[in-house]
Structures are given as structure tokens and as C-alpha cells.
Amino acid sequence: MNNYRNIKIAFSYFPAFTEESPNMQKRDFFNTNGTKWIDFLSLRQEIRLTENDPSFSWIAIAKEKDFVKFEDGMTEEEVYLEFKLLTWEAIFPDEVLEEIEIQNLQKWLIENLVADEFVSLRSLRERLKAGNIFHAEIDDFEFLRAYLYREGYSKIILKHKLGTNERFFKLSQPL
């Protein structure tokens, strides 16, 4: 059985009880590639292995490492998504939207949301696909990156019930 050493090390960069903010922790993590502590190539391989390992649990590692973004009641997918939001740009830079694409996605969100109606991310993905707007398949991760990008979180409201994988967006106020 794989002990997922690099994944555990990666989680240890994001402890709940620290004076550093998650952004500071993220910066420290990004600066570790190629050090004796962690190798991002090996980490990538381990993450890919988890996809076919029914014994692997993102929740178990989050609890073991006291992950800053972990809350009781989270699903495996929720923990995985929080981990992705903190690490993916460093681990899988070739798999994330570039900054200009995130800006365009955020702009598209603001233009396609209204203040009095929550819209599911599933519905937003369908609209993007139907309009053939982006070259890449946009998943929840990229939508959340767009939401968190610069001032997006002040213009867009995210609704998510812990323990579910459904997320909804709406504008914080009419344009």
C-alpha cells in the first residue's frame, strides 16, 4: 500500500493552528519544490494514484495533518477541492487556467449572474459549454479560482452547504 508521503508533506504545509494565513502557507508551499522536503513531480504521481485507490481518504489525511480548511462534515470531494485551491497552481501549472483566462471567467460570471437568483455551477458550466466560450472544460475548481481572484469575492456571493458538492453563485448587488 502506498503511504502517500508527498501528499502528507503537502498537507503539513497548511496546519490549522498557526499564525500564518493560508496565503502565507501557500507561498511557503510554492517555494518548496525541488527541496529535500517535497518533490512536486512525485507529488503529482501520488495524486494521480489516489484516483484509483479506494483505500485513500482525503478526509483521513486532512484530519491527521490538521488541515487549515478542514471542517467536520466535509465530503472527500470538498477536502480535495480545498487542497487543490491551495496547491494546484504549483503542482499542476499546466492544468490550470492562466491569469487572463481566470480574469475572463470572472468577467463572464459577473456578466451572467444576477443579484436576486442563485445559479448552480452545473448550470453555469452548461452555459459556458453551449456558448463555446472557453477552450477548456471549466470545473468547480476554476469557478472557485475566478470567485477568489482579486476582488471577485466582493462582487459574487458563493452559497455552499457543507457536506454537499453543490455550489451556487449570484451577484452581491445589481450592476
Side-chain angles (χ1 to χ4, degrees):
M1 181 179 146
N2 192 327
N3 72 355
Y4 299 103
R5 176 188 171 275
N6 286 292
I7 292 175
K8 289 178 180 178
I9 291 171
F11 267 84
S12 69
Y13 275 88
F14 303 98
F17 297 103
T18 180
E19 292 185 22
E20 287 189 331
S21 70
N23 283 336
M24 291 170 68
Q25 293 170 332
K26 185 176 179 177
R27 182 204 62 224
D28 291 346
F29 175 77
F30 277 46
N31 291 331
T32 63
N33 188 26
T35 66
K36 65 180 181 175
W37 300 109
I38 194 165
D39 173 47
F40 285 2
L41 181 58
S42 298
L43 179 57
R44 284 174 74 128
Q45 293 168 343
E46 284 183 14
I47 290 169
R48 294 297 184 226
L49 287 173
T50 67
E51 296 169 2
N52 297 313
D53 184 352
S55 68
F56 180 80
S57 170
W58 292 101
I59 292 172
I61 290 181
K63 285 181 178 179
E64 176 186 331
K65 297 299 179 182
D66 195 27
F67 184 48
V68 66
K69 297 289 186 168
F70 181 74
E71 295 179 49
D72 285 331
M74 290 178 88
T75 65
E76 291 285 328
E77 186 177 319
E78 287 172 308
V79 173
Y80 181 56
L81 185 57
E82 291 293 345
F83 178 72
K84 283 177 75 170
L85 287 168
L86 290 170
T87 63
W88 234 239
E89 293 167 76
I91 304 169
F92 294 99
D94 53 324
E95 294 184 15
V96 298
L97 294 179
E98 294 179 16
E99 185 172 359
I100 188 71
E101 294 171 307
I102 288 295
Q103 290 171 354
N104 289 338
L105 179 57
Q106 184 184 73
K107 181 181 174 189
W108 182 87
L109 277 170
I110 291 168
E111 290 170 355
N112 285 273
L113 293 172
V114 293
D116 58 350
E117 175 188 351
F118 276 104
V119 179
S120 74
L121 291 190
R122 184 180 316 122
S123 174
L124 290 168
R125 273 193 301 277
E126 289 169 5
R127 285 188 207 173
L128 275 175
K129 198 171 195 175
N132 205 15
I133 296 168
F134 284 89
H135 68 279
E137 181 73 25
I138 306 296
D139 60 10
D140 287 8
F141 166 68
E142 296 294 3
F143 275 115
L144 291 173
R145 283 185 64 217
Y147 162 70
L148 294 169
Y149 182 77
R150 295 202 179 145
E151 298 300 316
Y153 57 87
S154 66
K155 296 178 182 170
I156 302 169
I157 296 173
L158 168 68
K159 181 172 103 174
H160 171 244
K161 183 178 179 189
L162 190 65
T164 71
N165 296 325
E166 282 293 314
R167 290 172 179 79
F168 302 87
F169 282 149
K170 76 174 187 175
L171 285 181
S172 57
Q173 54 191 317
L175 291 179

